[in-house]
Amino acid sequence: MNQSEYLSHDAVALADRVKNREVSPKELVEAAFTRLEEVNPKLNAVIRTRKEKVVQEIGQLDISRQPFAGVPILLKDISQAVKGELLTAGSKLLSSYVAQWDSHFVAKLRRAGFLFLGHTNTPEFGLKNITDPELYGASRNPWNLNHSPGGSSGGASAAVASGIVPVAGASDGGGSIRIPASFTGLFGLKPTRGRTPVGPGVGRQWQGAAIDFVLSRSVRDSAALLDLLQTIQPEAAFQTPLFPGCYQEDMKKDVPSLRIAFSTKSPVGTPVSEEADRALRKTVKWLEEQGHHVEEEANPVNGIRLMEDYFMMNSGEIAGMIISMEEALNQSITAKDMEIMAWVLNEVGKNVTAAEFSASLASWDTAAEQMAKFHQRYDLYVTPATAYAAPKVDELTPTSEEIEKLLAVSTMEKKEQQALVYDMFLPSLTQTPFTQLANLTGQPAMSVPVHLTADGLPLGVQFTAPKGKEDWLLRMAHTLEQSDLWIGMKGNPNFS
């Protein structure tokens, strides 16, 4: 299979060609590694490969029974563990950690016949909306190498948008699928809380805010992967009823007339670019032309309060994780052992009481109730996916002066510390204020690639649906994919 053919196929099409004996898994792996070797030196999307093991695993495939036998995929270097392989979460602290088992998410992909080429770059502990870990360096955007592909699934988005693989493992705890999808022209779906596998060893990620799924170029790939990955785990903290149909078939159905609310306003009062406003309004116009009833109406949730509670969860989670790591490593962990954002969260988390942590999580449930009532009036809620197109690679990286100020966190009073956390994240939150809501309410949401800025950078629009209604989103996305709004890889200079 030549490079042109490989780039023109999504995962479903590659799987079909393998089944029909038109191409072999070995040829697909060779094409994927050829592409990787060509583009990865300038993108830094993939940080580790396992070429020799993949070649061995080809012989274990059962093409007649495995729906994605031989299809290459990349995994995210956090939560998507492969037995016997490094899993570092982008952190120097975990630079030598070897996974003892496949994660349940990875095990499902393995049983389906996917071949794991390696792991993609991610910021330390997945905490940022850009990907620039000190351990591996910054990933770059295939649309413009001076810009970031986003985060925390930035390596995954760069790999898919450059054609290394048609689909890549990703995760989303505050927008980490939808943000890089917006920045790199991909389709990014965050499923309903509890929809996809978690663990082993944990029953939830980030108290249920985070979920594992994929980034893809085609809607049908995400639909097919949701068919494959949806699950009910008795040991997991959250479950959602299985979809009784087939997402890949259901998405082809006509979209009925829907009641849709939209808003261009940042939920935390930060600016929104003219390009993001333009992207949303042309999508609204298209929706009206399709016969939907569309109204401008912001959601009722207090966005600033919700982000404060989100950051409180982040700090508590990081502090708890560091305690566990100190016990496992039998050593004290200092500011020199981790990057500044993780260190600040760790120091702040030490002072968060159980009552405060519990109250912050209760606010998520309040927001979920408010959004459930909102969706009694509106089927879908539409906003920009991100307030701006992709930032430059070093635009959101703290300066040495900023780092010095942040290191003073340990000397501050509790209220000062919590204000410091908000201010620390404010530059990145200004870029991406729209995605976190769905993580905290547990709703499914997607970023669709419908706009190119005057500078030639993609910018997505986000659709949010009630819990369990990924089928509504996939039908809408499939219809959009057939429209002139969908940009896909058109205009991407590093996808050809």
Side-chain angles (χ1 to χ4, degrees):
M1 172 174 273
N2 63 42
Q3 285 291 289
S4 178
E5 286 181 293
Y6 180 69
L7 292 173
S8 68
H9 287 65
D10 64 2
V12 170
L14 291 177
D16 286 342
R17 292 200 66 179
V18 170
K19 285 177 203 157
N20 295 331
R21 311 285 175 171
E22 297 169 357
V23 66
S24 70
K26 185 178 181 219
E27 289 176 286
L28 293 188
V29 168
E30 288 174 349
F33 275 109
T34 296
R35 184 64 176 171
L36 187 153
E37 290 159 8
E38 177 188 353
V39 302
N40 198 56
K42 57 186 176 182
L43 296 175
N44 194 31
V46 183
I47 52 170
R48 284 188 304 278
T49 59
R50 49 194 306 276
K51 190 171 185 178
E52 292 182 3
K53 292 180 181 178
V54 171
V55 171
Q56 294 174 356
E57 289 164 356
I58 289 173
Q60 301 166 16
L61 296 173
D62 186 341
I63 293 173
S64 64
R65 297 192 178 195
Q66 293 176 301
F68 285 96
V71 176
I73 193 171
L74 287 157
L75 301 169
K76 185 175 177 180
D77 188 34
I78 186 169
S79 76
Q80 297 176 3
V82 177
K83 183 179 180 180
E85 301 289 346
L86 288 172
L87 190 73
T88 72
S91 174
K92 292 176 288 185
L93 281 166
L94 296 172
S95 60
S96 60
Y97 174 75
V98 176
Q100 302 304 302
W101 48 69
D102 284 355
S103 70
H104 289 318
F105 178 88
V106 166
K108 275 214 163 197
L109 293 174
R110 191 189 291 278
R111 288 194 294 272
F114 278 104
L115 293 172
F116 309 133
L117 303 189
H119 278 98
T120 58
N121 205 5
T122 187
E124 186 176 49
F125 305 131
L127 291 174
K128 300 167 74 173
N129 62 357
I130 58 171
T131 298
D132 61 349
E134 292 176 6
L135 182 61
Y136 298 113
S139 293
R140 294 179 179 271
N141 194 319
W143 291 77
N144 186 320
L145 299 179
N146 294 320
H147 291 257
S148 173
S152 62
S153 306
S157 66
V160 176
S162 64
I164 297 173
V165 287
V167 64
S171 61
D172 193 317
S176 291
I177 288 175
R178 290 157 290 152
I179 291 166
S182 176
F183 288 168
T184 60
L186 299 178
F187 178 61
L189 173 69
K190 183 201 83 71
T192 301
R193 178 182 296 157
R195 175 70 77 190
T196 62
V198 66
V202 296
R204 69 188 81 192
Q205 297 182 96
W206 277 12
Q207 301 302 317
I211 188 168
D212 282 286
F213 194 50
V214 299
L215 279 157
S216 66
R217 292 195 298 269
S218 73
V219 176
R220 74 171 179 175
D221 272 0
S222 283
L225 266 293
L226 200 58
D227 282 322
L228 173 70
L229 290 165
Q230 71 160 335
T231 188
I232 291 181
Q233 290 179 258
E235 74 276 23
F238 306 103
Q239 284 117 24
T240 194
L242 295 175
F243 179 63
C246 169
Y247 285 114
Q248 196 179 342
E249 292 303 318
D250 186 87
M251 74 175 193
K252 300 172 187 176
K253 295 179 180 178
D254 291 338
V255 180
S257 178
L258 300 175
R259 302 160 300 163
I260 300 174
F262 77 94
S263 178
T264 61
K265 295 179 180 178
S266 164
V268 295
T270 49
V272 175
S273 70
E274 291 182 7
E275 293 280 13
D277 185 273
R278 190 174 300 122
L280 181 59
R281 293 192 183 278
K282 73 178 184 182
T283 304
V284 166
K285 181 182 177 184
W286 179 86
L287 289 167
E288 290 172 335
E289 291 170 351
Q290 302 302 304
H292 302 293
H293 179 73
V294 187
E295 295 180 13
E296 188 163 6
E297 180 74 24
N299 77 74
V301 177
N302 182 331
I304 292 176
R305 169 66 192 278
L306 196 67
M307 288 308 303
E308 291 172 342
D309 289 327
Y310 176 68
F311 294 146
M312 184 167 288
M313 177 276 295
N314 288 153
S315 62
E317 287 287 304
I318 293 297
M321 180 188 70
I322 296 303
I323 290 172
S324 297
M325 291 176 69
E326 287 180 328
E327 292 174 352
L329 297 170
N330 194 28
Q331 69 177 64
S332 295
I333 293 173
T334 70
K336 294 179 181 179
D337 298 315
M338 66 180 83
E339 296 179 35
I340 189 62
M341 286 191 170
W343 176 252
V344 169
L345 289 172
N346 174 57
E347 291 298 287
V348 175
K350 292 176 182 178
N351 293 326
V352 172
T353 68
E356 289 170 329
F357 195 79
S358 179
S360 73
L361 296 183
S363 79
W364 300 13
D365 297 336
T366 299
E369 181 180 14
Q370 290 173 316
M371 288 305 294
K373 291 178 180 177
F374 186 74
H375 281 292
Q376 291 174 5
R377 295 168 52 206
Y378 301 106
D379 300 306
L380 299 176
Y381 180 49
V382 188
T383 66
T386 56
Y388 295 83
K392 290 190 174 178
V393 167
D394 59 355
E395 188 175 330
L396 297 176
T397 302
T399 65
S400 56
E401 292 81 7
E402 290 169 336
I403 289 173
E404 283 301 313
K405 291 179 181 177
L406 292 169
L407 285 171
V409 62
S410 306
T411 66
M412 296 178 179
E413 298 294 327
K414 181 187 289 188
K415 286 187 178 180
E416 289 181 289
Q417 287 184 330
Q418 292 172 352
L420 180 72
V421 170
Y422 197 96
D423 289 343
M424 178 177 72
F425 281 110
L426 187 56
S428 58
L429 182 60
T430 299
Q431 293 269 342
T432 57
F434 294 102
T435 52
Q436 296 85 359
L437 176 64
N439 295 92
L440 305 195
T441 62
Q443 295 171 246
M446 67 179 181
S447 175
V448 288
V450 294
H451 186 67
L452 275 182
T453 70
D455 293 330
L457 290 172
L459 208 163
V461 165
Q462 176 177 249
F463 286 72
T464 303
K467 289 180 183 177
K469 295 300 184 182
E470 290 93 335
D471 53 319
W472 291 6
L473 296 178
L474 289 166
R475 285 191 200 180
M476 181 65 74
H478 179 67
T479 305
L480 267 167
E481 194 175 25
Q482 318 308 312
S483 76
D484 292 336
L485 283 183
W486 195 270
I487 63 166
M489 292 297 102
K490 292 179 290 187
N492 182 343
N494 283 296
F495 189 84
S496 61

